[in-house]
Amino acid sequence: MSLQKELGLFSGTCIIVGTIIGSGIFISPKSVLSNMEAVGPCLIIWAMCGVLATLGALCFAELGTMITKSGGEYPYLMEAFGPIPAYLFSWSSLFVIKPSSFAIICLSFSEYVCAPFYSGCSPPQVVIKTLAAAAILLISTVNALSVRLGSYVQNVFTAAKMVIVVIIIISGLVLLAQGNTRNFENSFEGASLSVGSISLALYNGLWAYDGWNQLNYITEELRNPFRNLPLAIIIGIPLVTGCYILMNVSYFTVMTATELLQSQAVAVTFGDRVLYPASWIVPLFVAFSTIGAANGSCFTAGR
């Protein structure tokens, strides 16, 4: 028996982009900035995280073309160290790492969906958890029914999240071209450059890049993996890195560092200031983004 090869280069790139861009870039800028305390170093950290993710993914591309089996780290550990480390990794992934990650993403989706219905107060936890549980059941059912259906869902949600990313980037660049550059003046002033600050900033930034290794979980289902696996990585991760840096530039065009740190959801605050009265599209598309990341996580983790 073997898995059917139903995924091409476009679907592979969508899985990488769609799984990486979840809720991280809409929330994490605050975490990175709080550690670096200045705009300039913050942007450099985002670029460094992109380089690290790219290097890690290229190493996985080499492994994926040498050992063309699905399952991500499992077959690589099996070949290198034998069945015991491979089994321990598989067990911890199956019972702890993947389900908890899946649940967290679905809870983020639920919070963004519920927020408009409870303006001025926090949504009840029972509503958030019930909607998150429904999302988990729906995504699991879709991926259990068909690989092709799961792939189509991933492609649609990746396209939807790229819409909001492009809207934020273009809005920010237009404002930047109009002369809104005051937040970039003296951008390295007051920066915290200790080892601890840089390490914490990298940790928070890399969380937003989580998912760079997801394509290796479905190597057997890629058509011509020797070509499409490295190409999807080379296209997908630099694309995400560019989007992340430009989105941060857009945020800083509209908000000062202090305002960004005080914001509960950076992208929503950006939408309220720039896209009003159409600011409602930001939480809607962030919800699409998180549900797309959840689908990508489920699609790959099952392998």
Side-chain angles (χ1 to χ4, degrees):
M1 289 181 67
S2 62
L3 296 165
Q4 294 182 352
K5 295 184 179 293
E6 295 191 348
L7 304 173
L9 176 60
F10 180 73
S11 293
T13 306
C14 282
I15 285 168
I16 290 177
V17 175
T19 308
I20 294 177
I21 303 178
S23 60
I25 188 56
F26 306 108
I27 299 167
S28 277
K30 188 165 62 172
S31 306
V32 175
L33 182 62
S34 66
N35 287 294
M36 297 312 297
E37 299 179 6
V39 173
C42 180
L43 295 175
I44 291 171
I45 288 291
W46 281 103
M48 287 173 62
C49 290
V51 171
L52 283 171
T54 303
L55 292 174
L58 289 173
C59 292
F60 262 56
E62 180 72 16
L63 287 168
T65 51
M66 288 171 63
I67 306 167
T68 54
K69 295 178 181 177
S70 290
E73 292 89 344
Y74 175 78
Y76 311 149
L77 290 170
M78 178 73 84
E79 292 284 342
F81 303 109
I84 293 175
Y87 167 76
L88 291 173
F89 173 80
S90 170
W91 187 90
S92 60
S93 289
L94 183 66
F95 285 99
V96 182
I97 300 169
K98 295 297 182 183
S100 58
S101 173
F102 190 22
I104 289 165
I105 296 169
C106 286
L107 283 167
S108 298
F109 159 77
S110 182
E111 286 179 2
Y112 270 100
V113 170
C114 291
F117 298 98
Y118 293 89
S119 58
C121 62
S122 299
Q125 284 298 308
V126 66
V127 175
I128 292 173
K129 290 178 180 178
T130 303
L131 184 57
I136 289 170
L137 284 171
L138 178 63
I139 293 167
S140 300
T141 304
V142 165
N143 283 279
L145 287 173
S146 167
V147 171
R148 188 168 294 175
L149 179 58
S151 172
Y152 285 155
V153 169
Q154 187 63 29
N155 293 352
V156 168
F157 281 120
T158 300
K161 73 179 64 182
M162 289 309 295
V163 168
I164 191 60
V165 167
V166 169
I167 288 171
I168 290 173
I169 289 171
I170 290 175
S171 302
L173 292 179
V174 168
L175 290 168
L176 198 64
Q178 291 173 348
N180 292 287
T181 59
R182 63 187 179 279
N183 294 336
F184 297 97
E185 296 169 3
N186 304 315
S187 57
F188 287 83
E189 189 177 327
S192 175
L193 300 176
S194 66
V195 174
S197 297
I198 293 170
S199 300
L200 285 169
L202 282 169
Y203 177 80
N204 283 293
L206 285 168
W207 179 68
Y209 284 92
D210 183 40
W212 54 266
N213 61 337
Q214 294 299 296
L215 198 59
N216 289 68
Y217 281 78
I218 54 167
T219 307
E220 288 179 53
E221 291 162 87
L222 278 176
R223 293 193 292 268
N224 191 3
F226 300 102
R227 171 184 176 272
N228 289 335
L229 179 63
L231 261 181
I233 288 168
I234 290 165
I235 293 168
I237 298 181
L239 174 64
V240 171
T241 304
C243 288
Y244 278 7
I245 293 169
L246 290 172
M247 285 179 76
N248 275 280
V249 169
S250 296
Y251 292 151
F252 288 122
T253 305
V254 174
M255 289 172 271
T256 64
T258 305
E259 289 170 339
L260 193 141
L261 289 171
Q262 291 173 345
S263 170
Q264 292 298 314
V266 178
V268 174
T269 304
F270 179 91
D272 289 339
R273 294 192 179 187
V274 177
L275 303 175
Y276 187 83
S279 57
W280 56 269
I281 68 170
V282 174
L284 175 66
F285 277 91
V286 170
F288 287 159
S289 180
T290 49
I291 199 74
N295 182 74
S297 177
C298 181
F299 187 91
T300 56
R303 274 63 183 171

